[in-house]
Amino acid sequence: MSKHTLALTAALLLGTGVLTALPIAPAHAAKADVKCHLDFTLSGWSIIYKHAEGSGTVRCGNGQEAAVKISVIGGGLTAGKYRIDHGTGDITHVRGIDDVFGDYAQAGAEAGVVKSGTAQVLTKGTTSLALAGHGEGINLGVSIGKFTISRR
């Protein structure tokens, strides 16, 4: 073997040895075990078509936080005007705050005069959003739609 071939072979073996000596960590997807909390206000109306807008703050157990905009659109046999103050939501099955944003499927029955309340569980894939709140207004009906959370 020539000196050049011997040096090249030694370098390849040494390089291979160094690479195989490094620990190899298996790739893991982040677990969806972060919990987030939503505080919000929302006001809207419905006459067959349902529309509401609001704002709030999302805070996650991993320290992430964001100001958010909320919109609700849908339709059904509904009529009314309402406002929810001091609404809350618990968001589960997320890896981080980015999983919170998007459209959640919504279906519900509303009934309230003067003092209104709401409690709903919405889903977006495997992510769940449990809403609760109280406020004022008149609303009556059954509707389906989407509840959207986006960055403000």
Side-chain angles (χ1 to χ4, degrees):
M1 239 185 224
S2 71
K3 287 184 183 180
H4 180 66
T5 306
L6 185 58
L8 184 59
T9 304
L12 286 173
L13 289 174
L14 181 60
T16 304
V18 169
L19 289 176
T20 58
L22 294 174
I24 298 174
H28 291 289
K31 289 186 179 180
D33 58 1
V34 174
K35 292 183 182 178
C36 299
H37 182 78
L38 170 67
D39 290 307
F40 69 96
T41 60
L42 184 71
S43 62
W45 55 267
S46 64
I47 299 177
I48 300 176
Y49 177 78
K50 181 178 183 177
H51 176 81
E53 292 184 346
S55 61
T57 304
V58 173
R59 291 179 182 85
C60 297
N62 63 2
Q64 295 176 312
E65 183 175 320
V68 298
K69 176 183 165 187
I70 298 168
S71 63
V72 178
I73 59 171
L77 300 172
T78 65
K81 184 175 179 181
Y82 54 91
R83 184 184 83 231
I84 296 178
D85 299 312
H86 310 294
T88 62
D90 290 319
I91 307 162
T92 56
H93 303 296
V94 297
R95 293 180 300 275
I97 201 160
D98 290 335
D99 288 350
V100 169
F101 304 112
D103 299 331
Y104 293 79
Q106 181 183 40
E110 299 94 22
V113 178
V114 182
K115 296 289 182 187
S116 293
T118 185
Q120 296 183 35
V121 176
L122 314 177
T123 61
K124 177 182 74 129
T126 59
T127 301
S128 295
L129 169 59
L131 294 175
H134 61 278
E136 295 182 355
I138 298 171
N139 55 320
L140 180 64
V142 177
S143 66
I144 59 169
K146 69 179 179 176
F147 185 98
T148 302
I149 299 175
S150 56
R151 289 188 187 271
R152 207 170 4 149

